[in-house]
Amino acid sequence: MNQPGIFSADYPTLKPEILLEGREIAEYAARIDAADASAPARERGEAFADEIEKRYIADFEKSGIDQMAHVSTFMVIDGVIYMTYYANTRSAAEDPENQTARLAYCPVSEPENKTFLDIQSVGDTCSGQRVNLVYDTILARKNADTLYILWTAEIGQNYYRLYRPFSISQKKLGEVGVNRLKVGNTVNDFSASGICSALAENGIGRKKMYADIGIMQKFTAREEDGTLYWYTGAYSGDFNMLIKSRDFITWEYVSQPSFPNLSKWENAAYVLNDKCYYFVRQHDDTGYGFLTAYDLVNDTWETPVLVEDCQSRSDFILYDGQLYLFHAPIDREHIGILRIDQNHLANSQVILQAKMHSSCFYPFIQYFEDGGLAMSYTVARQHIRLARFSMEKYIG
């Protein structure tokens, strides 16, 4: 992994940074509480929890080696399951000083027959410098034969978003590269300092950033002037933004919520037509995340809907033309599903609230084979688990 010169100096802006203060949401269109879940929604939740247990596929951490594993992304291609996550082989702590970004894959028909590839570990050398910290790891499909593994690493006292290609046909990894961030006409490495420099140069404010930087793993497409862009969310501490990319390498700043809020960490996003639906957790003592939508044509944000949440990562999925949000309404042993009213967010409804049979951190929902759905999730930061479920059973 020793390769020279992948990093670039940030644009030397002379403009001051604009820091935005986080404040509690004062104006909201509606509030959805966990107690709003109807008896049928709770009954559907019991069935969902049972089905996730019964339709277990496999755990994807390295058994007997990984003492901690967290944050999954998966996809199924030509009968093979590909899964990314980060792991700690030294202790049970979620500790970026001891973590490895990893890709695992196996045939759908033989989930016990796994191959594990370490993408980057703390202590590796990258572009002539030591890798000090490793964090959020996700997976994207560049083209028919190429996957990208994207992750966060601290190198030289700066957090970067990195990527590494993987050939599906050859089952081989390529070299490490650095993602780029474009804000207006300013292009920097996608790093903590690069974010700050590019936003400042373009007069765009941001909330407080701290610790690592992340990109959400759900990508949705929109064609713009003949070019296909992939949208998702990105974050660092209290700062969240929408970004888009044509190639999963260079990401362009799109927008951030225009109203005061107390957002923190992960922000789920899903583009449908000219609107991007958006849900983000808030500060731990807030009690509610918020659901909103960004109009990509008119550059406006809708009045948010407060959704009771334990402040965990969430995910959208489009199923049979309807948009659904999976989140953690009570704690990380519960899953709630909201049916999103695409025209009036305030009318979104709880269709399912489940007390799971185990902890169920950070659910990621994706299509499996034959048009069905599956969910990957973390169990107690010890297992990266995958299970199938029948969405049609819960949305009637």
Side-chain angles (χ1 to χ4, degrees):
M1 281 198 188
N2 191 355
Q3 55 192 104
I6 68 169
F7 301 114
S8 303
D10 294 337
Y11 183 84
T13 185
L14 298 177
K15 297 181 181 179
E17 293 186 34
I18 303 171
L19 296 179
L20 305 176
E21 179 184 356
R23 298 198 305 274
E24 188 171 352
I25 293 173
E27 181 182 350
Y28 53 89
R31 193 176 73 184
I32 298 174
D33 292 286
D36 293 338
S38 65
R42 295 173 191 273
E43 290 172 5
R44 287 190 287 267
E46 291 180 7
F48 177 80
D50 289 343
E51 185 179 13
I52 290 295
E53 287 290 300
K54 292 174 182 176
R55 300 186 70 188
Y56 162 87
I57 296 171
D59 287 349
F60 283 80
E61 74 281 356
K62 271 189 174 181
S63 179
I65 296 176
D66 292 342
Q67 298 185 52
M68 189 286 308
H70 200 19
V71 184
S72 60
T73 309
F74 78 95
M75 58 181 65
V76 181
I77 303 170
D78 296 331
V80 177
I81 303 168
Y82 297 89
M83 181 79 73
T84 57
Y85 56 94
Y86 59 84
N88 185 339
T89 63
R90 300 178 185 178
S91 77
E94 185 180 353
D95 178 5
E97 293 185 358
N98 291 303
Q99 290 175 175
T100 294
R102 183 173 295 139
L103 169 69
Y105 61 90
C106 63
V108 172
S109 60
E110 299 177 79
E112 70 282 357
N113 185 20
K114 297 181 186 68
T115 299
F116 298 93
L117 296 175
D118 289 351
I119 306 304
Q120 188 177 77
S121 300
V122 170
D124 286 353
T125 298
C126 183
S127 197
Q129 301 180 71
R130 183 183 187 273
V131 176
N132 301 318
L133 306 169
V134 168
Y135 232 123
D136 282 7
T137 306
I138 61 175
L139 183 65
R141 191 174 187 181
K142 166 66 174 175
N143 55 41
D145 190 53
T146 307
L147 301 178
Y148 279 162
I149 300 94
L150 304 96
W151 72 100
T152 305
E154 187 196 73
I155 300 168
Q157 309 305 310
N158 198 8
Y159 262 118
Y160 291 90
R161 288 298 305 191
L162 304 175
Y163 71 93
R164 196 171 182 187
F166 174 80
S167 169
I168 295 171
S169 61
Q170 299 179 29
K171 297 294 187 288
K172 290 184 179 180
L173 290 165
E175 298 294 336
V176 176
V178 61
N179 285 114
R180 306 279 279 167
L181 176 67
K182 181 179 180 181
V183 184
N185 293 318
T186 307
V187 181
N188 284 339
D189 288 349
F190 203 140
S191 66
S193 64
I195 294 170
C196 296
S197 167
L199 291 175
E201 175 63 20
N202 286 273
I204 298 172
R206 63 167 178 85
K207 293 199 291 183
K208 182 170 62 176
M209 294 170 50
Y210 45 89
D212 64 302
I213 55 177
I215 295 176
M216 292 295 284
Q217 68 266 61
K218 180 60 61 68
F219 304 112
T220 48
R222 181 174 186 262
E223 187 172 309
E224 299 173 1
D225 297 325
T227 299
L228 191 68
Y229 282 92
W230 295 94
Y231 278 76
T232 190
Y235 53 89
S236 176
D238 294 350
F239 173 61
N240 312 97
M241 60 180 170
L242 282 175
I243 55 175
K244 66 180 182 180
S245 178
R246 293 176 290 181
D247 58 9
F248 298 109
I249 296 174
T250 298
W251 294 91
E252 301 180 27
Y253 173 87
V254 176
S255 187
Q256 58 185 296
S258 58
F259 47 84
N261 62 78
L262 291 173
S263 64
K264 182 179 180 181
W265 300 127
E266 297 94 343
N267 51 342
Y270 202 104
V271 168
L272 284 176
N273 301 316
D274 293 330
K275 190 179 288 189
C276 184
Y277 298 88
Y278 185 96
F279 182 80
V280 63
R281 61 198 284 189
Q282 296 196 87
H283 279 217
D284 295 346
D285 58 356
T286 306
Y288 296 86
F290 65 86
L291 172 69
T292 181
Y294 174 63
D295 187 316
L296 292 156
V297 175
N298 297 312
D299 186 25
T300 55
W301 288 84
E302 293 188 20
T303 302
V305 172
L306 299 183
V307 180
E308 186 172 3
D309 193 82
C310 75
Q311 312 311 346
S312 190
R313 181 182 288 226
S314 304
D315 191 30
F316 288 105
I317 191 71
L318 185 70
Y319 188 84
D320 196 24
Q322 295 286 330
L323 186 64
Y324 299 92
L325 174 71
F326 284 64
H327 74 114
I330 298 171
D331 55 32
R332 289 177 174 180
E333 293 187 359
H334 281 78
I335 283 183
I337 303 179
L338 292 184
R339 180 186 285 116
I340 306 302
D341 188 313
Q342 298 173 36
N343 297 313
H344 303 285
L345 293 180
N347 293 333
S348 300
Q349 293 183 329
V350 178
I351 65 160
L352 181 154
Q353 187 168 289
K355 173 68 167 66
M356 306 302 289
H357 295 303
S358 70
S359 62
C360 195
F361 293 13
Y362 289 16
F364 177 68
I365 319 303
Q366 187 66 282
Y367 279 86
F368 206 73
E369 293 184 317
D370 304 322
L373 294 180
M375 179 175 74
S376 63
Y377 57 100
T378 305
V379 179
R381 292 189 177 87
Q382 294 179 330
H383 305 288
I384 298 294
R385 187 158 292 172
L386 182 64
R388 298 193 66 176
F389 65 97
S390 306
M391 188 69 171
E392 62 274 10
K393 291 167 55 177
Y394 309 110
I395 60 177

